[in-house]
Short mmCIF file of all heavy atoms in Angstrom, two decimals:
data_model
loop_
_atom_site.label_atom_id
_atom_site.label_comp_id
_atom_site.label_asym_id
_atom_site.label_seq_id
_atom_site.Cartn_x
_atom_site.Cartn_y
_atom_site.Cartn_z
N LEU S 2042 -0.01 -18.22 32.59
CA LEU S 2042 -1.00 -17.74 33.55
C LEU S 2042 -0.68 -16.33 34.05
O LEU S 2042 -1.52 -15.69 34.70
CB LEU S 2042 -1.09 -18.69 34.75
CG LEU S 2042 -1.69 -20.06 34.49
CD1 LEU S 2042 -1.52 -20.95 35.71
CD2 LEU S 2042 -3.16 -19.95 34.11
N PHE S 2043 0.52 -15.86 33.76
CA PHE S 2043 0.94 -14.56 34.26
C PHE S 2043 1.46 -13.69 33.11
O PHE S 2043 2.51 -13.07 33.20
CB PHE S 2043 2.02 -14.74 35.33
CG PHE S 2043 1.55 -15.48 36.55
CD1 PHE S 2043 1.69 -16.86 36.64
CD2 PHE S 2043 0.94 -14.81 37.60
CE1 PHE S 2043 1.24 -17.56 37.75
CE2 PHE S 2043 0.49 -15.50 38.72
CZ PHE S 2043 0.63 -16.88 38.79
N TYR S 2061 -13.19 -15.51 37.03
CA TYR S 2061 -12.07 -14.91 37.76
C TYR S 2061 -11.62 -15.81 38.91
O TYR S 2061 -10.42 -15.98 39.16
CB TYR S 2061 -12.48 -13.54 38.30
CG TYR S 2061 -11.42 -12.87 39.13
CD1 TYR S 2061 -10.21 -12.43 38.55
CD2 TYR S 2061 -11.58 -12.69 40.50
CE1 TYR S 2061 -9.23 -11.83 39.32
CE2 TYR S 2061 -10.60 -12.09 41.28
CZ TYR S 2061 -9.43 -11.65 40.67
OH TYR S 2061 -8.45 -11.07 41.44
N LEU S 2064 -9.50 -18.58 37.58
CA LEU S 2064 -8.15 -18.13 37.26
C LEU S 2064 -7.32 -18.00 38.54
O LEU S 2064 -6.14 -18.37 38.57
CB LEU S 2064 -8.20 -16.80 36.52
CG LEU S 2064 -6.84 -16.18 36.14
CD1 LEU S 2064 -6.04 -17.13 35.25
CD2 LEU S 2064 -7.03 -14.82 35.44
N ARG S 2065 -7.93 -17.50 39.62
CA ARG S 2065 -7.22 -17.38 40.90
C ARG S 2065 -6.76 -18.75 41.39
O ARG S 2065 -5.64 -18.90 41.90
CB ARG S 2065 -8.11 -16.71 41.96
CG ARG S 2065 -8.21 -15.21 41.83
CD ARG S 2065 -8.90 -14.59 43.02
NE ARG S 2065 -8.25 -14.90 44.29
CZ ARG S 2065 -8.55 -14.31 45.44
NH1 ARG S 2065 -9.51 -13.37 45.49
NH2 ARG S 2065 -7.92 -14.64 46.56
N VAL S 2066 -7.63 -19.74 41.25
CA VAL S 2066 -7.27 -21.09 41.69
C VAL S 2066 -6.09 -21.61 40.88
O VAL S 2066 -5.14 -22.19 41.42
CB VAL S 2066 -8.48 -22.04 41.57
CG1 VAL S 2066 -8.05 -23.48 41.80
CG2 VAL S 2066 -9.58 -21.64 42.57
N LYS S 2067 -6.13 -21.42 39.55
CA LYS S 2067 -5.03 -21.88 38.69
C LYS S 2067 -3.72 -21.21 39.08
O LYS S 2067 -2.65 -21.85 39.13
CB LYS S 2067 -5.35 -21.59 37.22
CG LYS S 2067 -6.48 -22.44 36.65
CD LYS S 2067 -6.73 -22.05 35.19
CE LYS S 2067 -7.87 -22.85 34.58
NZ LYS S 2067 -8.14 -22.47 33.18
N ARG S 2068 -3.77 -19.91 39.34
CA ARG S 2068 -2.57 -19.19 39.71
C ARG S 2068 -2.03 -19.65 41.08
O ARG S 2068 -0.82 -19.76 41.28
CB ARG S 2068 -2.84 -17.68 39.72
CG ARG S 2068 -2.90 -17.07 38.32
CD ARG S 2068 -3.29 -15.61 38.33
NE ARG S 2068 -3.04 -14.99 37.02
CZ ARG S 2068 -3.45 -13.78 36.67
NH1 ARG S 2068 -4.15 -13.04 37.56
NH2 ARG S 2068 -3.19 -13.30 35.48
N SER S 2069 -2.93 -19.92 41.99
CA SER S 2069 -2.52 -20.42 43.31
C SER S 2069 -1.81 -21.76 43.19
O SER S 2069 -0.76 -21.99 43.81
CB SER S 2069 -3.73 -20.54 44.23
OG SER S 2069 -4.31 -19.28 44.48
N GLU S 2070 -2.38 -22.66 42.39
CA GLU S 2070 -1.75 -23.97 42.20
C GLU S 2070 -0.39 -23.83 41.54
O GLU S 2070 0.55 -24.57 41.85
CB GLU S 2070 -2.66 -24.86 41.35
CG GLU S 2070 -3.96 -25.26 42.03
CD GLU S 2070 -3.74 -26.00 43.33
OE1 GLU S 2070 -2.80 -26.84 43.38
OE2 GLU S 2070 -4.48 -25.74 44.29
N ALA S 2071 -0.25 -22.87 40.62
CA ALA S 2071 1.03 -22.66 39.95
C ALA S 2071 2.09 -22.19 40.94
O ALA S 2071 3.24 -22.68 40.93
CB ALA S 2071 0.86 -21.64 38.83
N VAL S 2072 1.75 -21.24 41.82
CA VAL S 2072 2.72 -20.73 42.78
C VAL S 2072 3.09 -21.82 43.79
O VAL S 2072 4.25 -21.94 44.20
CB VAL S 2072 2.17 -19.47 43.48
CG1 VAL S 2072 3.07 -19.05 44.64
CG2 VAL S 2072 2.04 -18.33 42.48
N LYS S 2073 2.10 -22.61 44.21
CA LYS S 2073 2.40 -23.74 45.12
C LYS S 2073 3.40 -24.70 44.46
O LYS S 2073 4.33 -25.20 45.11
CB LYS S 2073 1.12 -24.47 45.47
CG LYS S 2073 0.18 -23.70 46.38
CD LYS S 2073 -1.11 -24.50 46.61
CE LYS S 2073 -2.11 -23.70 47.45
NZ LYS S 2073 -3.39 -24.44 47.64
N LEU S 2075 5.62 -23.99 42.21
CA LEU S 2075 6.93 -23.34 42.20
C LEU S 2075 7.60 -23.43 43.57
O LEU S 2075 8.81 -23.66 43.66
CB LEU S 2075 6.77 -21.86 41.79
CG LEU S 2075 6.41 -21.60 40.32
CD1 LEU S 2075 5.90 -20.18 40.14
CD2 LEU S 2075 7.63 -21.83 39.43
N LEU S 2076 6.81 -23.26 44.62
CA LEU S 2076 7.37 -23.34 45.97
C LEU S 2076 7.84 -24.76 46.28
O LEU S 2076 8.90 -24.95 46.90
CB LEU S 2076 6.31 -22.91 47.00
CG LEU S 2076 5.98 -21.40 47.04
CD1 LEU S 2076 4.74 -21.14 47.89
CD2 LEU S 2076 7.16 -20.61 47.57
N VAL S 2084 10.28 -18.91 43.01
CA VAL S 2084 9.21 -17.95 42.70
C VAL S 2084 9.81 -16.64 42.20
O VAL S 2084 9.31 -16.03 41.25
CB VAL S 2084 8.32 -17.71 43.93
CG1 VAL S 2084 7.26 -16.65 43.63
CG2 VAL S 2084 7.66 -18.99 44.38
N PHE S 2087 10.95 -17.05 38.74
CA PHE S 2087 9.77 -17.09 37.88
C PHE S 2087 9.24 -15.68 37.60
O PHE S 2087 8.87 -15.35 36.47
CB PHE S 2087 8.70 -17.95 38.55
CG PHE S 2087 7.43 -18.09 37.77
CD1 PHE S 2087 7.34 -18.96 36.69
CD2 PHE S 2087 6.29 -17.35 38.11
CE1 PHE S 2087 6.16 -19.09 35.97
CE2 PHE S 2087 5.12 -17.48 37.39
CZ PHE S 2087 5.05 -18.36 36.33
N ALA S 2093 3.68 -10.38 33.97
CA ALA S 2093 2.89 -9.76 35.05
C ALA S 2093 3.41 -10.23 36.41
O ALA S 2093 2.74 -10.98 37.13
CB ALA S 2093 1.41 -10.10 34.89
N PRO S 2094 4.62 -9.79 36.82
CA PRO S 2094 5.17 -10.21 38.12
C PRO S 2094 4.33 -9.74 39.30
O PRO S 2094 4.39 -10.35 40.38
CB PRO S 2094 6.57 -9.59 38.13
CG PRO S 2094 6.52 -8.46 37.15
CD PRO S 2094 5.56 -8.90 36.10
N PHE S 2095 3.58 -8.66 39.12
CA PHE S 2095 2.71 -8.18 40.21
C PHE S 2095 1.74 -9.28 40.65
O PHE S 2095 1.51 -9.49 41.84
CB PHE S 2095 1.95 -6.94 39.75
CG PHE S 2095 0.96 -6.43 40.79
CD1 PHE S 2095 1.36 -5.57 41.79
CD2 PHE S 2095 -0.38 -6.84 40.75
CE1 PHE S 2095 0.45 -5.11 42.75
CE2 PHE S 2095 -1.28 -6.38 41.69
CZ PHE S 2095 -0.88 -5.52 42.70
N PHE S 2096 1.17 -10.01 39.68
CA PHE S 2096 0.19 -11.05 40.01
C PHE S 2096 0.86 -12.28 40.62
O PHE S 2096 0.23 -13.02 41.37
CB PHE S 2096 -0.62 -11.41 38.78
CG PHE S 2096 -1.60 -10.35 38.39
CD1 PHE S 2096 -1.35 -9.50 37.32
CD2 PHE S 2096 -2.77 -10.19 39.11
CE1 PHE S 2096 -2.24 -8.51 36.98
CE2 PHE S 2096 -3.68 -9.20 38.77
CZ PHE S 2096 -3.42 -8.35 37.70
N VAL S 2097 2.14 -12.48 40.31
CA VAL S 2097 2.89 -13.53 41.00
C VAL S 2097 2.97 -13.19 42.49
O VAL S 2097 2.70 -14.03 43.36
CB VAL S 2097 4.30 -13.69 40.40
CG1 VAL S 2097 5.10 -14.73 41.18
CG2 VAL S 2097 4.22 -14.07 38.93
N GLY S 2098 3.37 -11.93 42.78
CA GLY S 2098 3.46 -11.50 44.17
C GLY S 2098 2.10 -11.48 44.86
O GLY S 2098 1.98 -11.87 46.03
N LEU S 2099 1.06 -11.05 44.13
CA LEU S 2099 -0.29 -11.01 44.70
C LEU S 2099 -0.74 -12.40 45.12
O LEU S 2099 -1.28 -12.60 46.22
CB LEU S 2099 -1.25 -10.42 43.66
CG LEU S 2099 -2.71 -10.24 44.09
CD1 LEU S 2099 -2.83 -9.15 45.13
CD2 LEU S 2099 -3.58 -9.91 42.87
N THR S 2100 -0.51 -13.39 44.26
CA THR S 2100 -0.89 -14.77 44.56
C THR S 2100 -0.06 -15.31 45.72
O THR S 2100 -0.59 -15.99 46.62
CB THR S 2100 -0.70 -15.64 43.31
OG1 THR S 2100 -1.43 -15.08 42.22
CG2 THR S 2100 -1.19 -17.05 43.56
N LEU S 2101 1.23 -15.02 45.72
CA LEU S 2101 2.11 -15.48 46.80
C LEU S 2101 1.67 -14.87 48.13
O LEU S 2101 1.66 -15.56 49.17
CB LEU S 2101 3.55 -15.09 46.48
CG LEU S 2101 4.61 -15.49 47.52
CD1 LEU S 2101 4.68 -17.01 47.64
CD2 LEU S 2101 5.98 -14.92 47.14
N GLY S 2102 1.33 -13.58 48.13
CA GLY S 2102 0.90 -12.92 49.36
C GLY S 2102 -0.35 -13.54 49.95
O GLY S 2102 -0.52 -13.60 51.17
N ARG S 2103 -1.25 -13.99 49.09
CA ARG S 2103 -2.48 -14.62 49.58
C ARG S 2103 -2.20 -15.98 50.21
O ARG S 2103 -2.99 -16.49 51.00
CB ARG S 2103 -3.47 -14.77 48.43
CG ARG S 2103 -4.04 -13.45 47.93
CD ARG S 2103 -4.72 -13.63 46.58
NE ARG S 2103 -5.37 -12.40 46.12
CZ ARG S 2103 -5.78 -12.18 44.88
NH1 ARG S 2103 -5.57 -13.13 43.95
NH2 ARG S 2103 -6.35 -11.05 44.55
N LEU S 2104 -1.06 -16.62 49.82
CA LEU S 2104 -0.74 -17.97 50.28
C LEU S 2104 0.28 -17.99 51.42
O LEU S 2104 0.30 -18.94 52.22
CB LEU S 2104 -0.17 -18.80 49.12
CG LEU S 2104 -1.07 -19.07 47.92
CD1 LEU S 2104 -0.25 -19.73 46.82
CD2 LEU S 2104 -2.24 -19.97 48.30
N ALA S 2105 1.14 -16.99 51.50
CA ALA S 2105 2.37 -17.07 52.27
C ALA S 2105 2.13 -17.02 53.78
O ALA S 2105 1.23 -16.32 54.27
CB ALA S 2105 3.32 -15.96 51.86
N MET S 2128 6.81 -7.58 41.90
CA MET S 2128 6.39 -8.77 42.64
C MET S 2128 6.16 -8.44 44.11
O MET S 2128 5.17 -8.85 44.71
CB MET S 2128 7.44 -9.86 42.51
CG MET S 2128 7.03 -11.18 43.17
SD MET S 2128 8.37 -12.37 43.35
CE MET S 2128 9.16 -11.74 44.84
N ALA S 2130 5.45 -5.56 45.43
CA ALA S 2130 4.25 -4.72 45.56
C ALA S 2130 3.00 -5.59 45.56
O ALA S 2130 2.07 -5.37 46.34
CB ALA S 2130 4.20 -3.71 44.42
N GLY S 2131 2.97 -6.59 44.66
CA GLY S 2131 1.84 -7.51 44.65
C GLY S 2131 1.76 -8.34 45.91
O GLY S 2131 0.67 -8.63 46.43
N PHE S 2132 2.93 -8.73 46.44
CA PHE S 2132 2.97 -9.53 47.66
C PHE S 2132 2.33 -8.78 48.82
O PHE S 2132 1.49 -9.33 49.56
CB PHE S 2132 4.42 -9.90 47.98
CG PHE S 2132 4.59 -10.64 49.27
CD1 PHE S 2132 4.31 -12.00 49.34
CD2 PHE S 2132 5.01 -9.99 50.42
CE1 PHE S 2132 4.46 -12.70 50.53
CE2 PHE S 2132 5.16 -10.67 51.61
CZ PHE S 2132 4.89 -12.03 51.67
N VAL S 2133 2.72 -7.52 49.01
CA VAL S 2133 2.15 -6.71 50.10
C VAL S 2133 0.65 -6.57 49.92
O VAL S 2133 -0.12 -6.68 50.88
CB VAL S 2133 2.86 -5.33 50.16
CG1 VAL S 2133 2.16 -4.42 51.16
CG2 VAL S 2133 4.32 -5.50 50.50
N ARG S 2134 0.23 -6.34 48.68
CA ARG S 2134 -1.21 -6.21 48.40
C ARG S 2134 -1.95 -7.51 48.75
O ARG S 2134 -3.03 -7.50 49.35
CB ARG S 2134 -1.42 -5.86 46.93
CG ARG S 2134 -2.87 -5.81 46.47
CD ARG S 2134 -3.64 -4.65 47.10
NE ARG S 2134 -4.99 -4.59 46.57
CZ ARG S 2134 -5.34 -3.92 45.47
NH1 ARG S 2134 -4.41 -3.24 44.81
NH2 ARG S 2134 -6.58 -3.90 45.07
N GLY S 2135 -1.37 -8.66 48.40
CA GLY S 2135 -1.99 -9.95 48.68
C GLY S 2135 -2.09 -10.23 50.17
O GLY S 2135 -3.11 -10.74 50.66
N LYS S 2136 -1.03 -9.91 50.92
CA LYS S 2136 -1.07 -10.11 52.38
C LYS S 2136 -2.14 -9.24 53.01
O LYS S 2136 -2.88 -9.68 53.91
CB LYS S 2136 0.30 -9.77 52.98
CG LYS S 2136 1.43 -10.71 52.59
CD LYS S 2136 1.29 -12.08 53.24
CE LYS S 2136 1.57 -12.03 54.72
NZ LYS S 2136 1.67 -13.40 55.31
N GLU S 2138 -4.88 -8.10 51.57
CA GLU S 2138 -6.21 -8.61 51.22
C GLU S 2138 -6.61 -9.78 52.12
O GLU S 2138 -7.77 -9.91 52.53
CB GLU S 2138 -6.23 -9.05 49.75
CG GLU S 2138 -6.28 -7.91 48.75
CD GLU S 2138 -6.41 -8.43 47.33
OE1 GLU S 2138 -6.49 -9.67 47.15
OE2 GLU S 2138 -6.42 -7.60 46.40
N GLU S 2139 -5.66 -10.67 52.44
CA GLU S 2139 -5.96 -11.87 53.22
C GLU S 2139 -6.07 -11.59 54.71
O GLU S 2139 -6.92 -12.15 55.40
CB GLU S 2139 -4.87 -12.92 52.96
CG GLU S 2139 -4.95 -13.57 51.60
CD GLU S 2139 -6.24 -14.35 51.40
OE1 GLU S 2139 -6.58 -15.18 52.26
OE2 GLU S 2139 -6.91 -14.10 50.37
#
Side-chain angles (χ1 to χ4, degrees):
L2042 291 172
F2043 297 92
Y2061 177 68
L2064 179 59
R2065 281 189 57 170
V2066 170
K2067 291 179 181 179
R2068 284 175 167 170
S2069 296
E2070 293 301 321
V2072 172
K2073 290 176 184 178
L2075 289 163
L2076 288 169
V2084 177
F2087 180 78
F2095 176 86
F2096 287 103
V2097 177
L2099 182 69
T2100 305
L2101 180 63
R2103 291 165 176 165
L2104 297 172
M2128 185 193 81
F2132 176 79
V2133 173
R2134 175 67 176 272
K2136 293 289 289 190
E2138 284 184 2
E2139 287 297 309

